[in-house]
Amino acid sequence: MKFNKKTIKLLLTALPLLASGLVRAEGVAVGQAGAKTGAISAAADNNSDGAFASDLKGAEDLLRELSRERKLTPGLSGEYMARELERAKKFFAFAKSTLIPHGFALRQKMSDPDGLIAEGKLMVEKNSASWQGYDYLASGSLIKRDVDGAKDNYEKALAAAPDFQKDWYRYMLAACYNVKKDPEKALALYEGIIEKNDNWLAVKNSYLGASMMLLGRDNGKAVSYFDKGFSLYAPGEQAALLKTSLCDKFRDLEKGPEACGKTN
């Protein structure tokens, strides 16, 4: 796939096709997914508590399915659901207080990658533990197609970031490994993010990124991951995903994702 500026910008915003492995594998027309859908971008624009309702409902539905898959007793299932939903709510609180302002500022500066890098350098000079500064440096580098520079700074951002943000930088490192054609490292990062279930933005994108990588290796798991990830997206994001060619990857399988049944 041509690694152009539009694709890189897509990697840097919390939009439906953020998983770079997914974009690389499909050659998706990224403009279709560019609408501001989903809780994070909506909340950045309107600062509404209700903007997170869809994501939280998706989290609850997925946790219920995972509880069934693990064959938990009703009592253990209730404990598991309560514990994990509390973690999800804490993440959304972190997202509103910290992640949204940072992400919105980053989005506003993406048209000037050199300025983004310069500002990031100033931030880390003032504070060597500024994860926001390293994110600016990494994002500016990625826009300029300097994947090694991006990877180096995402690693620094990961080391300095608060716990709820760390998996996002693991996700972006997976994106870098995909671009560098190191799928094993990317898949290991996706699987770790899914297992931890900390950062819901990283989780939903990692399900889809891993799904594309598992096709041909473990088709059943690829299908399951696609449906799990799809369930975490807001309705507008789901509609954007279904307009892409992603579901075409599953057409030769005896049983593809339930989500793709709408188009197959």
Side-chain angles (χ1 to χ4, degrees):
M1 191 202 80
K2 187 178 179 182
F3 191 53
N4 56 32
K5 183 179 280 190
K6 201 176 226 183
T7 298
I8 298 170
K9 284 190 176 183
L10 186 60
L11 290 171
L12 298 170
T13 54
L15 297 173
L17 302 181
L18 222 144
S20 75
L22 208 146
V23 175
R24 277 168 45 79
E26 299 308 311
V28 172
V30 296
Q32 295 184 107
K36 289 188 226 171
T37 56
I40 295 300
S41 8
D45 290 334
N46 63 30
N47 198 33
S48 168
D49 289 332
F52 291 100
S54 179
D55 273 21
L56 190 59
K57 175 64 165 58
E60 184 176 5
D61 290 344
L62 176 62
L63 290 169
R64 187 173 292 108
E65 181 180 351
L66 292 175
S67 177
R68 287 196 296 267
E69 287 182 0
R70 296 174 186 184
K71 299 180 179 179
L72 299 178
T73 64
L76 289 176
S77 177
E79 292 176 8
Y80 169 73
M81 290 283 294
R83 181 177 65 250
E84 294 300 314
L85 276 173
E86 185 61 29
R87 289 176 65 203
K89 289 175 182 177
K90 287 180 180 178
F91 168 70
F92 291 138
F94 164 78
K96 185 173 183 182
S97 67
T98 305
L99 180 54
I100 285 172
H102 169 66
F104 186 71
L106 182 62
R107 189 174 73 181
Q108 296 295 97
K109 299 173 188 292
M110 282 170 53
S111 60
D112 180 15
D114 290 323
L116 200 57
I117 290 171
E119 188 168 348
K121 285 180 179 178
L122 288 175
M123 292 168 75
V124 299
E125 285 173 4
K126 292 179 180 178
N127 177 10
S128 61
S130 173
W131 58 273
Q132 297 98 326
Y134 291 122
D135 197 349
Y136 277 28
L137 287 167
S139 300
S141 297
L142 197 56
I143 294 170
K144 290 172 68 70
R145 309 184 195 188
D146 175 10
V147 180
D148 288 327
K151 178 177 170 292
D152 180 60
N153 283 293
Y154 281 130
E155 287 171 345
K156 293 176 181 176
L158 170 61
D163 287 345
F164 272 130
Q165 184 67 353
K166 286 185 181 297
D167 274 354
W168 181 253
Y169 295 124
R170 292 186 179 101
Y171 170 76
M172 293 307 297
L173 283 169
C176 292
Y177 281 123
N178 265 316
V179 174
K180 290 175 70 65
K181 299 184 179 180
D182 194 342
E184 297 305 322
K185 287 184 179 178
L187 183 58
L189 285 166
Y190 289 145
E191 293 280 22
I193 292 165
I194 290 167
E195 179 65 25
K196 281 187 66 182
N197 243 8
D198 269 350
N199 182 310
W200 284 92
L201 288 176
V203 168
K204 68 182 183 181
N205 286 293
S206 292
Y207 267 123
L208 292 194
S211 173
M212 295 297 106
M213 300 182 75
L214 287 165
L215 276 168
R217 299 189 191 189
D218 186 338
N219 290 335
K221 190 173 183 180
V223 168
S224 174
Y225 271 20
F226 188 92
D227 277 331
K228 286 182 172 71
F230 189 87
S231 73
L232 291 173
Y233 287 98
E237 294 174 317
Q238 292 178 349
L241 281 168
L242 292 176
K243 290 179 182 177
T244 71
S245 59
L246 291 177
C247 286
D248 291 344
K249 277 294 189 182
F250 300 93
R251 287 188 183 278
D252 293 334
L253 301 185
E254 183 176 346
K255 184 178 180 182
E258 290 183 10
C260 293
K262 300 173 184 178
T263 57
N264 286 354

